[in-house]
Amino acid sequence: MPYWYDDLLKNDLSTFIGKTLSTVDPAAHYLPNWHIDLIAAHLEAVRRGEITRLIINMPPRSLKSVCVSVAWPAWLLGHDPRVRIIAASYAASLSVKHSIDCRTIITAPWYQKLFPNTVLSRDQNEKHKFMTTQRGFRFATSVGGSTTGEGGNFLIIDDPISPMQAMNANWRNHANQWFDHTFASRLDNKQTGAIVLVMQRLHQHDLTGHLLAKGGWRHLCLPAVAKKSETYDFYGVQKYRETGELLHPDRENMVLIERAKIELGSNVFAAQYQQQPLPEEGGMVRPWWFGRYKAAPLSSDRRVQSWDTAIKSGQQHDASVCLTFAESENRSYLIDARVFRLEYPDLKRMFFALAEQWQPQAVLVEDRASGQQLLQDVRRESLLPIIAISPKHDKVTRFAAVSAMIEAGKIVLPEQAPWLADFESELFNFPAATHDDQVDALTQYLDWLRLSVWERLRIRRL
């Protein structure tokens, strides 16, 4: 090895992770990737005390356990043999395996060369717990397992439930309550101690969902296939990821991704690979109710835009939404979906810009709050075919009234679009989704379409 390699191993966690894999699994071929660098950068920030609560969601077989449960504890003990680490998994056997792998690293000659002060004590050197001569340790337990008398500086949870357990509400609640009432209390110092959760998403109400709902957690989400264009920029690790880009194509290419989607099914794939679990029950529409198109119809009977408006910017406020539909052969093709948070002057400019782009024959705007001002201004300043919509009933009732149209296949979605993942996430999780602005715009369009069809039928009968 080059003379500088030891320095790199000692000071770069990402390089250390690669060496760890080759030690615990000599037959494996390590393939470096940006996501491992990004995980390492976050774990280093935890070690420095800059992050005290971290959630990492990533697909299976992406080195999550090697990074977080094996390499990182060894790295922590190498840099400070006094640190105390408690690590848990859903099964005791899995937790012990990670502990054995970590101990294998610490006793390896190359590790001892890097960190000669980290020596395991003869008094405490078991599979589930090993201690250094400076009283630091790694203790392995399971979800629900005993941690009585144990406390740590760093708490690690690696897969708190299995995929099978995640389908059972009792198991999910057990894991969440175990964290709240038992595991989180194991921190020696509540202010400076750190907790790291790493898992693939399994259910809306798994431990990730439970903790994110509480707030206060740094969330690193790494879907197998990028759902939208995104830039990662954290402590020197910079990566721009385009929509549809794979997480680690050298390890899992699109052929393997598509195979996983077929073998797992779309719902399981959405959770475990895309970190976007869909509701098991309670969603008001199903993905298979929608037709799919590769290319929108070249000509359409009519184009309609549906606006759900808000006039405040900032992520804490509701968004403005414009959905554009092309109607053809008694079906409505969703050809564009825009979501933005703008102050009113910018919203109005966007309204005219999208009308200019798509040339709709009807533009639906809710006649309430911010929409009222927009209706007045557009009518005064243009000849756009704007239609005021006065909604009745609550959101769920309105959506239920038009859901049969979706089930009948009246709405057709694209197979691919930059905005599709966010639209589907909001739609398939409604009414439990965090945001429902796109659902409101869809409901408004379908309700108007339903009433206009009924009115045409009534006139024909007359």
Side-chain angles (χ1 to χ4, degrees):
M1 291 291 179
Y3 69 91
W4 44 262
Y5 185 59
D6 285 351
D7 286 339
L8 193 61
L9 276 176
K10 188 173 183 177
N11 296 294
D12 182 69
L13 177 55
S14 184
T15 304
F16 185 87
I17 289 169
K19 183 67 173 177
T20 294
L21 177 65
S22 65
T23 302
V24 298
D25 188 0
H29 177 52
Y30 177 61
L31 298 170
N33 196 54
W34 64 269
H35 83 281
I36 298 174
D37 297 337
L38 188 61
I39 291 169
H42 278 77
L43 294 176
E44 271 292 80
V46 174
R47 181 172 75 92
R48 293 190 299 265
E50 297 164 11
I51 298 174
T52 59
R53 299 293 185 274
L54 174 64
I55 294 173
I56 303 174
N57 294 141
M58 57 196 297
R61 313 305 299 169
S62 299
L63 294 186
K64 64 179 178 61
S65 294
V66 170
C67 291
V68 180
S69 295
V70 180
W72 190 48
W75 175 268
L76 290 171
L77 287 166
H79 285 274
D80 186 353
R82 301 167 299 173
V83 300
R84 297 175 300 280
I85 305 161
I86 302 178
S89 296
Y90 67 86
S93 58
L94 180 61
S95 188
V96 168
K97 178 190 181 301
H98 296 157
S99 179
I100 294 172
D101 286 346
C102 184
R103 188 175 62 172
T104 298
I105 299 302
I106 292 176
T107 57
W110 64 267
Y111 180 95
Q112 287 298 306
K113 181 182 177 183
L114 294 177
F115 305 109
N117 294 327
T118 303
V119 180
L120 297 186
S121 170
R122 293 181 180 180
D123 297 333
Q124 179 66 66
N125 190 356
E126 299 176 294
K127 292 179 179 179
H128 77 285
K129 182 179 181 181
F130 53 82
M131 182 180 290
T132 71
T133 55
Q134 298 189 45
R135 312 302 291 174
F137 63 78
R138 186 194 190 282
F139 174 71
T141 187
S142 60
V143 172
S146 176
T147 55
T148 303
E150 301 288 355
N153 313 117
F154 298 92
L155 307 184
I156 298 170
I157 312 105
D158 185 344
D159 282 338
I161 52 175
S162 70
M164 290 299 293
Q165 291 172 345
M167 297 301 103
N168 185 298
N170 290 332
W171 275 108
R172 294 193 306 271
N173 293 335
H174 170 69
N176 296 345
Q177 291 175 11
W178 165 82
F179 177 88
D180 289 344
H181 303 308
T182 302
F183 195 66
S185 68
R186 295 298 92 194
L187 283 176
D188 288 337
N189 188 314
K190 299 299 188 292
Q191 291 185 338
T192 61
I195 306 177
V196 175
L197 167 64
V198 59
M199 64 180 293
Q200 60 197 25
R201 292 302 307 271
L202 297 170
H203 193 277
Q204 273 193 311
H205 304 299
D206 58 20
L207 186 55
T208 289
H210 177 68
L211 296 179
L212 290 178
K214 292 184 174 186
W217 289 77
R218 173 95 184 187
H219 188 204
L220 176 58
C221 185
L222 299 167
V225 184
K227 297 173 287 187
K228 59 182 179 180
S229 298
E230 188 169 3
T231 298
Y232 299 91
D233 189 354
F234 190 79
Y235 277 101
V237 180
Q238 294 182 325
K239 169 66 179 178
Y240 173 71
R241 198 174 178 200
E242 295 182 350
T243 302
E245 184 176 338
L246 302 185
L247 179 67
H248 196 173
D250 290 340
R251 182 177 175 85
E252 196 161 20
N253 58 30
M254 186 55 77
V255 173
L256 296 177
I257 290 289
E258 291 297 332
R259 181 187 299 171
K261 188 182 298 184
I262 294 171
E263 292 173 347
L264 294 173
S266 58
N267 285 358
V268 175
F269 179 85
Q272 295 186 18
Y273 275 73
Q274 294 300 89
Q275 315 313 312
Q276 190 174 15
L278 302 177
E280 183 182 10
E281 295 290 342
M284 298 182 69
V285 296
R286 300 291 182 262
W288 54 88
W289 291 358
F290 294 86
R292 299 285 173 168
Y293 68 85
K294 290 184 178 180
L298 295 177
S299 60
S300 58
D301 303 325
R302 179 175 61 180
R303 285 185 176 176
V304 180
Q305 289 183 325
S306 180
W307 279 85
D308 181 73
T309 61
I311 57 172
K312 292 185 178 180
S313 59
Q315 293 298 316
Q316 72 274 22
H317 298 297
D318 290 338
S320 292
V321 170
C322 176
L323 303 182
T324 302
F325 298 88
E327 298 173 358
S328 179
E329 298 181 352
N330 202 30
R331 303 178 85 190
S332 298
Y333 295 75
L334 182 58
I335 57 176
D336 191 46
R338 302 291 183 94
V339 180
F340 27 70
R341 289 172 171 83
L342 301 172
E343 300 291 342
Y344 180 76
D346 293 325
L347 173 66
K348 191 169 107 175
R349 281 190 286 270
M350 181 63 71
F351 182 94
F352 283 115
L354 291 177
E356 176 67 24
Q357 178 180 353
W358 295 109
Q359 298 293 309
Q361 281 75 50
V363 183
L364 315 178
V365 178
E366 184 177 350
D367 190 11
R368 180 185 292 175
S370 60
Q372 291 179 339
Q373 183 178 356
L374 186 62
L375 284 164
Q376 294 170 3
D377 288 351
V378 172
R379 284 170 173 164
R380 184 174 59 251
E381 299 173 18
S382 75
L383 296 176
L384 284 173
I386 192 168
I387 300 172
I389 303 295
S390 298
K392 299 178 181 179
H393 308 296
D394 61 270
K395 295 172 183 281
V396 174
T397 302
R398 295 201 305 268
F399 190 69
V402 299
S403 61
M405 298 174 69
I406 301 175
E407 189 171 3
K410 297 300 183 183
I411 298 296
V412 187
L413 302 178
E415 292 183 354
Q416 291 185 336
W419 44 263
L420 182 61
D422 287 341
F423 177 82
E424 288 181 330
S425 176
E426 185 175 311
L427 180 63
F428 297 149
N429 284 289
F430 182 82
T434 303
H435 301 290
D436 54 21
D437 309 288
Q438 295 184 84
V439 174
D440 284 348
L442 175 63
T443 301
Q444 178 175 263
Y445 168 72
L446 286 173
D447 192 51
W448 173 80
L449 185 64
R450 176 175 63 91
L451 293 175
S452 62
V453 169
W454 175 256
E455 182 65 18
R456 288 197 297 270
L457 290 174
R458 188 186 69 81
I459 291 173
R460 287 176 185 173
R461 292 191 184 102
L462 294 176

